[in-house]
């Protein structure tokens, strides 16, 4: 079972750390492999449950990323008109 299925009484209390995120990424990797294997065997119906878990994991990871203060653009106290040398993140193709 996916680690994002947390009992209601524990929701919002989970510690989000690099280990948890890595476990989800590893689980997603395994889910993609399993989905691919089932699809190659022509067993698309069995893929649905794994696709749902994968979707839930990805949405959960995206929510964490959106809420993370590490993703905030750097504050600039400079009064000059220089532009940042940091390249923009290309989100084309994101769903």
């Amino acid at each position: 079972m996916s680690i994002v299925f947390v009992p209601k009484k524990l929701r919002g209390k989970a510690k989000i750390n690099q280990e948890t995120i890595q476990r989800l990424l590893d689980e997603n990797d395994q889910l993609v492999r399993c989905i691919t294997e089932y699809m190659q065997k022509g067993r698309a119906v069995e893929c649905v449950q794994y696709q749902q878990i994968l979707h839930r994991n990805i949405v959960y990871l995206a929510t964490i990323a959106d809420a993370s203060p590490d993703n905030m653009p750097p504050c600039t106290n400079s009064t000059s008109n220089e532009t940042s040398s940091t390249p923009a993140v290309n989100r084309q193709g994101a769903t």
Side-chain angles (χ1 to χ4, degrees):
M1 179 180 266
S2 177
I3 63 173
V4 297
F5 294 106
V6 179
K8 287 185 179 184
K9 64 182 179 180
L10 298 177
R11 288 185 187 167
K13 298 178 183 176
K15 303 262 185 196
I16 300 170
N17 56 32
Q18 188 61 37
E19 180 183 338
T20 302
I21 293 170
Q22 188 58 53
R23 284 176 53 199
L24 275 170
L25 292 172
D26 292 342
E27 180 178 346
N28 288 352
D29 178 63
Q30 186 62 34
L31 286 167
V32 169
R33 291 173 192 269
C34 191
I35 290 166
T36 303
E37 183 179 329
Y38 277 131
M39 291 297 282
Q40 289 174 346
K41 293 179 178 179
R43 298 171 60 187
V45 175
E46 288 90 345
C47 293
V48 174
Q49 70 184 40
Y50 297 115
Q51 290 170 334
Q52 290 172 338
I53 295 169
L54 179 62
H55 178 264
R56 186 171 291 168
N57 286 356
I58 291 171
V59 169
Y60 182 73
L61 288 169
T63 303
I64 292 170
D66 287 344
S68 174
D70 295 338
N71 291 337
M72 298 296 287
C75 292
T76 56
N77 294 332
S78 175
T79 57
S80 69
N81 290 334
E82 296 178 16
T83 59
S84 173
S85 62
T86 306
V89 174
N90 182 2
R91 290 189 176 220
Q92 183 178 3
T95 58

